[in-house]
Amino acid sequence: MTGLFSYPKRKLRKLITQGEYEQAEQLGNELEQKFSKDPDFLFIMGSMYYMLNDEKKTLHYIDRVLEINPYDIESLSLKLRVHQFLAEKQEDQESKKNEINIVIDCCRRILDEAPDNFEVRDLITELESQS
């Protein structure tokens, strides 16, 4: 349990909260080898890149969390939002459809863990009706 509250991750969170993204990114890069299999650290990094609008790096970290825990609801929710955004940016119909399929998959996995999540339930219903 102590690993969840280790000082370096607290410092990383604090830097992000204070908007010190450059320092947070530097610290995160320094810590990455030590915490490469720590889903909490990976989620923090993914969340930071989400705030910085870097979809590629966000997905890099969030997908690593989901390799460890495929049903992590927060990570699935973040992945869902990124792919939803990417789908909206796509002009190519095939690429857009692929992004929407990823969003639907995330929705299903979230609903497996939290069947009462009505926001996700509404989203998947809307997306499936468009397909």
Side-chain angles (χ1 to χ4, degrees), residues 38-123:
D38 182 326
D40 187 42
F41 168 78
L42 297 170
F43 184 80
I44 293 167
M45 291 296 289
S47 298
M48 176 183 69
Y49 285 115
Y50 179 75
M51 289 185 275
L52 294 172
N53 298 316
D54 188 331
E55 298 88 14
K56 187 176 179 177
K57 286 186 179 178
T58 299
L59 291 174
H60 168 76
Y61 285 100
I62 295 305
D63 285 340
R64 288 172 61 194
V65 173
L66 293 171
E67 286 174 12
I68 297 166
N69 181 2
Y71 289 93
D72 181 285
I73 292 175
E74 287 85 14
S75 295
L76 286 167
S77 297
L78 188 53
K79 180 175 176 127
L80 178 156
R81 287 192 295 272
V82 170
H83 282 287
Q84 199 172 16
F85 172 75
L86 292 173
E88 291 170 4
K89 284 182 27 177
Q90 295 297 329
E91 293 181 22
D92 171 40
Q93 283 304 107
E94 189 64 31
S95 297
K96 185 176 195 129
K97 187 175 181 174
N98 288 337
E99 294 296 340
I100 290 172
N101 285 336
I102 294 171
V103 172
I104 290 171
D105 178 61
C106 289
C107 288
R108 287 183 181 141
R109 289 165 56 190
I110 290 169
L111 290 173
D112 284 347
E113 292 298 306
D116 59 342
N117 189 323
F118 296 107
E119 185 179 334
V120 171
R121 187 174 301 283
D122 291 344
L123 176 60

